[in-house]
Amino acid sequence: VLLQIFDAFKPRLHDSNSKVNQAALEAMHRMIPLLKDNLSPVINMLIPAIVDNNLNSKNPGIYTAATNVIQALCQHLDTSLLLQPFCTKAQFLSGKAKQDLTEKLA
């Protein structure tokens, strides 16, 4: 069931409408403390959706929401679940997004 929910939710995390995109990131930020490690089956799908475009966004609301989501993931999930997806994303990012994710990895 969780996979089905996040399959439907994931496209909103990089929606072309910035208000929808930001609202999805803010909703994700609120969900993480509730779901915690139960997110493990969908984490490899979620991290690219959260990071791609959002951490390099020129829109300050989207950038802030994305960094808040990454921070919440680090606070509420077992960090071993995040290591591989963060490393994979950090290899292919550039700019501020690469810097932000590398700092989280460190």
Side-chain angles (χ1 to χ4, degrees):
V1 173
L2 193 64
L3 280 171
Q4 293 169 325
I5 292 168
F6 281 98
D7 276 341
F9 182 72
K10 183 181 115 175
R12 303 296 68 84
L13 292 168
H14 45 80
D15 199 281
S16 59
N17 181 321
S18 61
K19 290 180 182 178
V20 171
N21 184 210
Q22 185 174 340
L25 287 164
E26 290 168 355
M28 188 71 228
H29 182 250
R30 290 188 301 274
M31 283 188 267
I32 292 167
L34 302 172
L35 295 172
K36 297 183 181 176
D37 289 339
N38 292 321
L39 287 170
S40 62
V42 295
I43 204 70
N44 288 327
M45 161 184 35
L46 283 179
I47 289 184
I50 293 163
V51 172
D52 292 348
N53 303 322
N54 296 325
L55 280 183
N56 272 331
S57 178
K58 303 282 188 242
N59 180 319
I62 290 174
Y63 173 77
T64 300
T67 56
N68 288 342
V69 169
I70 297 296
Q71 184 63 36
L73 287 170
C74 293
Q75 282 182 305
H76 297 285
L77 269 73
D78 180 350
T79 52
S80 66
L81 294 172
L82 302 173
L83 185 60
Q84 185 61 46
F86 278 9
C87 285
T88 302
K89 286 311 308 172
Q91 287 177 340
F92 301 104
L93 290 172
S94 62
K96 184 100 176 98
K98 186 175 192 103
Q99 179 183 342
D100 289 345
L101 214 51
T102 303
E103 285 174 10
K104 288 295 175 201
L105 282 164

